[in-house]
């Protein structure tokens, strides 16, 4: 399937424009400010979530992703699973949360303990992207 639309940052950096491409069957464009774009991303995410809800999540090993280096985050108890919720501000998607069930918490703790044993080249190396 070929692209039917394109979203680009406006020249002044204060908004974005969604343009319908030739062959899409739609003419024109829609301008968004940051809040409107966030609302669109959130609504698209909810629709995608509903579309894949009954599918088994695909494997994550080897999948490329863009890490988040600057964010605010919080850790709290998830009462439904008795696990832990890690929530953070993703610069592209807004607030995101992942729930770790109790067995996942144990796996995560073991991984973080191994990470603490890594010898870093400089004291602040762990805070810098590689």
């Amino acid at each position: 399937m070929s692209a039917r639309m394109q979203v680009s940052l406006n020249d002044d950096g204060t908004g974005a424009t969604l343009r319908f491409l030739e062959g899409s069957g739609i003419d024109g464009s829609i301008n968004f400010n940051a809040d409107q774009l966030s609302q669109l991303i959130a609504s698209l995410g909810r629709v995608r979530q509903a579309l894949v809800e009954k599918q088994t999540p695909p494997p994550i090993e080897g999948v490329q992703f863009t890490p988040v280096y600057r964010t605010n985050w919080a850790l709290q108890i998830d009462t439904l699973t008795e696990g832990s919720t890690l929530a953070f501000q993703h610069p592209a998607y807004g607030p995101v949360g992942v729930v770790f069930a109790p067995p996942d918490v144990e796996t995560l703790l073991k991984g973080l303990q191994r990470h603490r044993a890594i010898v870093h080249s400089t004291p602040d190396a762990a805070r810098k992207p590689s």
Side-chain angles (χ1 to χ4, degrees):
M1 180 167 112
S2 63
R4 297 169 54 153
M5 63 190 90
Q6 177 183 27
V7 179
S8 57
L9 185 65
N10 292 348
D11 291 339
D12 63 4
T14 63
T17 300
L18 182 146
R19 287 185 178 73
F20 296 99
L21 301 176
E22 191 174 320
S24 68
I26 303 172
D27 291 324
S29 62
I30 303 171
N31 292 313
F32 296 97
N33 64 31
D35 288 338
Q36 293 166 328
L37 191 58
S38 292
Q39 290 172 9
L40 176 62
I41 290 167
S43 64
L44 290 171
R46 285 189 298 273
V47 171
R48 186 183 186 286
Q49 179 180 7
L51 288 172
V52 300
E53 187 172 359
K54 291 184 168 61
Q55 298 175 9
T56 301
I60 194 73
E61 292 79 13
V63 174
Q64 291 206 354
F65 60 91
T66 304
V68 175
Y69 291 106
R70 290 184 51 225
T71 188
N72 292 324
W73 61 275
L75 186 64
Q76 57 195 32
I77 300 298
D78 180 68
T79 54
L80 182 64
T81 65
E82 296 182 355
S84 296
T85 301
L86 174 63
F88 62 96
Q89 286 286 350
H90 193 289
Y93 307 111
V96 176
V98 60
V99 174
F100 296 102
D104 298 327
V105 170
E106 291 305 316
T107 302
L108 185 59
L109 283 171
K110 288 176 187 173
L112 290 172
Q113 288 294 348
R114 283 194 307 267
H115 177 79
R116 289 180 81 183
I118 295 172
V119 176
H120 296 286
S121 56
T122 61
D124 66 342
R127 287 184 240 137
K128 295 181 182 175
S130 53

